[in-house]
Amino acid sequence: MGLFKRAEETESAGQTVEQDDLRVLLPQGEDMIEQLGRAHMSWGLGSADRWDLDQTTGTITWTFPDKTATAPAQILGSFSRGSGSWLWAWANQSILPDMSRDARLFRDWAEANGHPALAQPRMEVDETAASTLVALAVRVTEATGYYRGPGGNSAVIITFGPVTLTATDGSVSTFNVSVG
């Protein structure tokens, strides 16, 4: 993947630090995604009958036979297998600006830390490179939840906060996870 080429080829002291940053942040992000996935599976993430995202309220909802789960959400971006491309949420005109705060936070971090290739609006990437972008963004934004919204030939990547679980009997509980 050419996105990390500059960091790998640099020789100046300042740019070597940037390379080390990515070498540290990527495994941390991959670790976070694994930890978040395991933690959120305890309430059913990945097994819902359906999911919905309301951009006007900034809420993601998962529906199960015995409960619903809701959480404040952000859209990082989307990956299209068909076109082999990643599109950051802040560059997607169909996404409301309030829904792309995490994506803008990552873009600003990438630009401020000498990684302009990571802040391009649209990138030609394969699934592995898209996963790398997501892992870095989850780590940099310190997301406490991560969801890959299934779709036909594309997937939307969503980060989310504390989950409110509402059972069919009306009882409510909150699930929050902290990793890092």
Side-chain angles (χ1 to χ4, degrees), residues 120-151:
Q120 297 302 307
R122 184 179 186 276
M123 295 175 251
E124 301 302 317
V125 298
D126 61 15
E127 195 149 359
T128 300
S131 294
T132 297
L133 289 170
V134 172
L136 287 170
V138 165
R139 171 59 183 91
V140 167
T141 63
E142 299 178 345
T144 60
Y146 155 82
Y147 184 66
R148 181 182 172 134

Short mmCIF file of all heavy atoms in Angstrom, two decimals, residues 120-151:
data_model
loop_
_atom_site.label_atom_id
_atom_site.label_comp_id
_atom_site.label_asym_id
_atom_site.label_seq_id
_atom_site.Cartn_x
_atom_site.Cartn_y
_atom_site.Cartn_z
N GLN A 120 -6.31 12.14 2.43
CA GLN A 120 -6.91 12.36 1.12
C GLN A 120 -8.39 11.99 1.19
O GLN A 120 -8.76 11.00 1.82
CB GLN A 120 -6.20 11.50 0.06
CG GLN A 120 -4.74 11.84 -0.12
CD GLN A 120 -4.56 13.30 -0.50
OE1 GLN A 120 -5.15 13.80 -1.45
NE2 GLN A 120 -3.74 13.99 0.27
N PRO A 121 -9.25 12.74 0.54
CA PRO A 121 -10.69 12.48 0.63
C PRO A 121 -11.09 11.07 0.17
O PRO A 121 -11.87 10.39 0.81
CB PRO A 121 -11.33 13.52 -0.28
CG PRO A 121 -10.27 14.54 -0.53
CD PRO A 121 -8.96 13.90 -0.29
N ARG A 122 -10.52 10.66 -0.96
CA ARG A 122 -10.83 9.35 -1.54
C ARG A 122 -9.51 8.68 -1.87
O ARG A 122 -8.61 9.31 -2.40
CB ARG A 122 -11.66 9.51 -2.81
CG ARG A 122 -12.11 8.21 -3.42
CD ARG A 122 -12.97 8.47 -4.67
NE ARG A 122 -13.52 7.26 -5.20
CZ ARG A 122 -12.87 6.45 -6.03
NH1 ARG A 122 -11.65 6.73 -6.41
NH2 ARG A 122 -13.46 5.36 -6.47
N MET A 123 -9.40 7.39 -1.54
CA MET A 123 -8.16 6.66 -1.79
C MET A 123 -8.46 5.33 -2.48
O MET A 123 -9.46 4.68 -2.15
CB MET A 123 -7.44 6.38 -0.47
CG MET A 123 -6.97 7.63 0.22
SD MET A 123 -6.26 7.22 1.81
CE MET A 123 -7.50 7.88 2.89
N GLU A 124 -7.60 4.97 -3.39
CA GLU A 124 -7.68 3.66 -4.02
C GLU A 124 -6.99 2.68 -3.07
O GLU A 124 -5.78 2.79 -2.86
CB GLU A 124 -6.98 3.68 -5.38
CG GLU A 124 -7.55 4.69 -6.36
CD GLU A 124 -9.03 4.48 -6.64
OE1 GLU A 124 -9.46 3.31 -6.82
OE2 GLU A 124 -9.77 5.48 -6.65
N VAL A 125 -7.74 1.76 -2.48
CA VAL A 125 -7.20 0.82 -1.50
C VAL A 125 -7.87 -0.54 -1.65
O VAL A 125 -8.99 -0.63 -2.17
CB VAL A 125 -7.38 1.32 -0.04
CG1 VAL A 125 -6.65 2.62 0.21
CG2 VAL A 125 -8.86 1.47 0.31
N ASP A 126 -7.19 -1.56 -1.16
CA ASP A 126 -7.82 -2.88 -1.07
C ASP A 126 -8.41 -3.02 0.34
O ASP A 126 -8.31 -2.11 1.16
CB ASP A 126 -6.83 -3.99 -1.41
CG ASP A 126 -5.62 -4.03 -0.47
OD1 ASP A 126 -5.66 -3.40 0.62
OD2 ASP A 126 -4.65 -4.70 -0.83
N GLU A 127 -8.99 -4.17 0.60
CA GLU A 127 -9.66 -4.36 1.90
C GLU A 127 -8.66 -4.31 3.06
O GLU A 127 -8.97 -3.78 4.13
CB GLU A 127 -10.41 -5.69 1.91
CG GLU A 127 -11.38 -5.78 3.05
CD GLU A 127 -12.60 -6.61 2.73
OE1 GLU A 127 -12.72 -7.13 1.62
OE2 GLU A 127 -13.44 -6.73 3.63
N THR A 128 -7.45 -4.81 2.84
CA THR A 128 -6.44 -4.77 3.90
C THR A 128 -6.05 -3.34 4.23
O THR A 128 -5.94 -2.96 5.40
CB THR A 128 -5.19 -5.57 3.46
OG1 THR A 128 -5.59 -6.92 3.21
CG2 THR A 128 -4.11 -5.55 4.53
N ALA A 129 -5.85 -2.52 3.20
CA ALA A 129 -5.48 -1.12 3.42
C ALA A 129 -6.63 -0.37 4.09
O ALA A 129 -6.40 0.47 4.97
CB ALA A 129 -5.10 -0.46 2.11
N ALA A 130 -7.87 -0.67 3.69
CA ALA A 130 -9.02 -0.03 4.33
C ALA A 130 -9.06 -0.39 5.81
O ALA A 130 -9.32 0.46 6.67
CB ALA A 130 -10.31 -0.43 3.63
N SER A 131 -8.79 -1.66 6.13
CA SER A 131 -8.76 -2.09 7.54
C SER A 131 -7.66 -1.37 8.31
O SER A 131 -7.84 -1.03 9.48
CB SER A 131 -8.54 -3.60 7.63
OG SER A 131 -9.65 -4.28 7.08
N THR A 132 -6.55 -1.10 7.65
CA THR A 132 -5.46 -0.36 8.28
C THR A 132 -5.89 1.06 8.60
O THR A 132 -5.64 1.57 9.69
CB THR A 132 -4.22 -0.36 7.36
OG1 THR A 132 -3.77 -1.70 7.19
CG2 THR A 132 -3.10 0.48 7.93
N LEU A 133 -6.56 1.71 7.65
CA LEU A 133 -7.07 3.07 7.89
C LEU A 133 -8.03 3.09 9.07
O LEU A 133 -7.96 3.97 9.92
CB LEU A 133 -7.78 3.60 6.63
CG LEU A 133 -6.90 3.94 5.45
CD1 LEU A 133 -7.76 4.23 4.23
CD2 LEU A 133 -6.00 5.13 5.77
N VAL A 134 -8.91 2.11 9.12
CA VAL A 134 -9.89 2.04 10.21
C VAL A 134 -9.18 1.84 11.55
O VAL A 134 -9.50 2.51 12.53
CB VAL A 134 -10.93 0.93 9.96
CG1 VAL A 134 -11.82 0.72 11.17
CG2 VAL A 134 -11.77 1.27 8.73
N ALA A 135 -8.22 0.92 11.60
CA ALA A 135 -7.50 0.67 12.85
C ALA A 135 -6.79 1.93 13.34
O ALA A 135 -6.84 2.26 14.52
CB ALA A 135 -6.50 -0.47 12.66
N LEU A 136 -6.15 2.65 12.42
CA LEU A 136 -5.49 3.90 12.81
C LEU A 136 -6.50 4.93 13.30
O LEU A 136 -6.28 5.59 14.32
CB LEU A 136 -4.69 4.47 11.64
CG LEU A 136 -3.41 3.72 11.28
CD1 LEU A 136 -2.86 4.23 9.95
CD2 LEU A 136 -2.38 3.86 12.38
N ALA A 137 -7.62 5.06 12.60
CA ALA A 137 -8.63 6.05 12.98
C ALA A 137 -9.27 5.69 14.32
O ALA A 137 -9.51 6.58 15.15
CB ALA A 137 -9.69 6.17 11.89
N VAL A 138 -9.54 4.41 14.56
CA VAL A 138 -10.12 4.00 15.84
C VAL A 138 -9.15 4.34 16.97
O VAL A 138 -9.54 4.85 18.02
CB VAL A 138 -10.47 2.49 15.83
CG1 VAL A 138 -10.71 1.95 17.23
CG2 VAL A 138 -11.70 2.25 14.96
N ARG A 139 -7.86 4.10 16.75
CA ARG A 139 -6.86 4.40 17.78
C ARG A 139 -6.73 5.90 18.01
O ARG A 139 -6.75 6.37 19.14
CB ARG A 139 -5.50 3.80 17.37
CG ARG A 139 -4.34 4.22 18.23
CD ARG A 139 -4.55 3.85 19.70
NE ARG A 139 -3.46 4.32 20.52
CZ ARG A 139 -3.42 5.49 21.13
NH1 ARG A 139 -4.42 6.33 21.02
NH2 ARG A 139 -2.39 5.82 21.87
N VAL A 140 -6.60 6.66 16.94
CA VAL A 140 -6.40 8.11 17.07
C VAL A 140 -7.61 8.78 17.71
O VAL A 140 -7.46 9.66 18.54
CB VAL A 140 -6.06 8.73 15.69
CG1 VAL A 140 -6.14 10.25 15.73
CG2 VAL A 140 -4.67 8.29 15.24
N THR A 141 -8.82 8.36 17.35
CA THR A 141 -10.03 8.97 17.90
C THR A 141 -10.42 8.39 19.25
O THR A 141 -11.35 8.88 19.89
CB THR A 141 -11.22 8.83 16.94
OG1 THR A 141 -11.51 7.43 16.77
CG2 THR A 141 -10.95 9.49 15.60
N GLU A 142 -9.71 7.33 19.66
CA GLU A 142 -10.02 6.65 20.93
C GLU A 142 -11.47 6.22 21.01
O GLU A 142 -12.15 6.36 22.03
CB GLU A 142 -9.63 7.52 22.12
CG GLU A 142 -8.15 7.84 22.15
CD GLU A 142 -7.72 8.74 23.29
OE1 GLU A 142 -8.58 9.38 23.93
OE2 GLU A 142 -6.51 8.81 23.54
N ALA A 143 -11.96 5.66 19.91
CA ALA A 143 -13.34 5.20 19.84
C ALA A 143 -13.59 4.10 20.87
O ALA A 143 -12.70 3.32 21.18
CB ALA A 143 -13.63 4.67 18.44
N THR A 144 -14.80 4.06 21.40
CA THR A 144 -15.15 3.02 22.37
C THR A 144 -16.08 1.97 21.77
O THR A 144 -16.52 1.06 22.46
CB THR A 144 -15.79 3.62 23.64
OG1 THR A 144 -16.98 4.33 23.27
CG2 THR A 144 -14.82 4.55 24.34
N GLY A 145 -16.38 2.12 20.51
CA GLY A 145 -17.19 1.15 19.78
C GLY A 145 -16.91 1.29 18.31
O GLY A 145 -16.58 2.37 17.82
N TYR A 146 -17.00 0.15 17.60
CA TYR A 146 -16.71 0.13 16.17
C TYR A 146 -17.66 -0.86 15.51
O TYR A 146 -17.88 -1.96 16.02
CB TYR A 146 -15.25 -0.31 15.99
CG TYR A 146 -14.94 -0.96 14.66
CD1 TYR A 146 -14.69 -0.19 13.54
CD2 TYR A 146 -14.90 -2.35 14.53
CE1 TYR A 146 -14.41 -0.79 12.32
CE2 TYR A 146 -14.61 -2.94 13.32
CZ TYR A 146 -14.37 -2.16 12.23
OH TYR A 146 -14.11 -2.74 11.02
N TYR A 147 -18.25 -0.45 14.39
CA TYR A 147 -19.18 -1.31 13.68
C TYR A 147 -18.97 -1.16 12.18
O TYR A 147 -18.86 -0.04 11.67
CB TYR A 147 -20.63 -0.94 14.03
CG TYR A 147 -21.67 -1.83 13.42
CD1 TYR A 147 -21.77 -3.17 13.79
CD2 TYR A 147 -22.56 -1.35 12.48
CE1 TYR A 147 -22.73 -4.00 13.24
CE2 TYR A 147 -23.53 -2.16 11.93
CZ TYR A 147 -23.61 -3.49 12.31
OH TYR A 147 -24.56 -4.31 11.76
N ARG A 148 -18.90 -2.29 11.52
CA ARG A 148 -18.80 -2.30 10.05
C ARG A 148 -20.19 -2.65 9.54
O ARG A 148 -20.60 -3.81 9.58
CB ARG A 148 -17.77 -3.33 9.61
CG ARG A 148 -17.61 -3.38 8.12
CD ARG A 148 -16.62 -4.46 7.73
NE ARG A 148 -16.62 -4.60 6.29
CZ ARG A 148 -15.54 -4.66 5.55
NH1 ARG A 148 -14.36 -4.63 6.10
NH2 ARG A 148 -15.65 -4.78 4.25
N GLY A 149 -20.90 -1.61 9.11
CA GLY A 149 -22.26 -1.82 8.62
C GLY A 149 -22.26 -2.61 7.33
O GLY A 149 -21.67 -2.16 6.35
N PRO A 150 -22.87 -3.79 7.35
CA PRO A 150 -22.85 -4.62 6.16
C PRO A 150 -23.65 -3.99 5.03
O PRO A 150 -24.64 -3.31 5.24
CB PRO A 150 -23.48 -5.93 6.62
CG PRO A 150 -24.30 -5.57 7.82
CD PRO A 150 -23.65 -4.38 8.43
N GLY A 151 -23.16 -4.23 3.85
CA GLY A 151 -23.83 -3.76 2.65
C GLY A 151 -23.47 -4.68 1.51
O GLY A 151 -22.64 -5.58 1.66
#
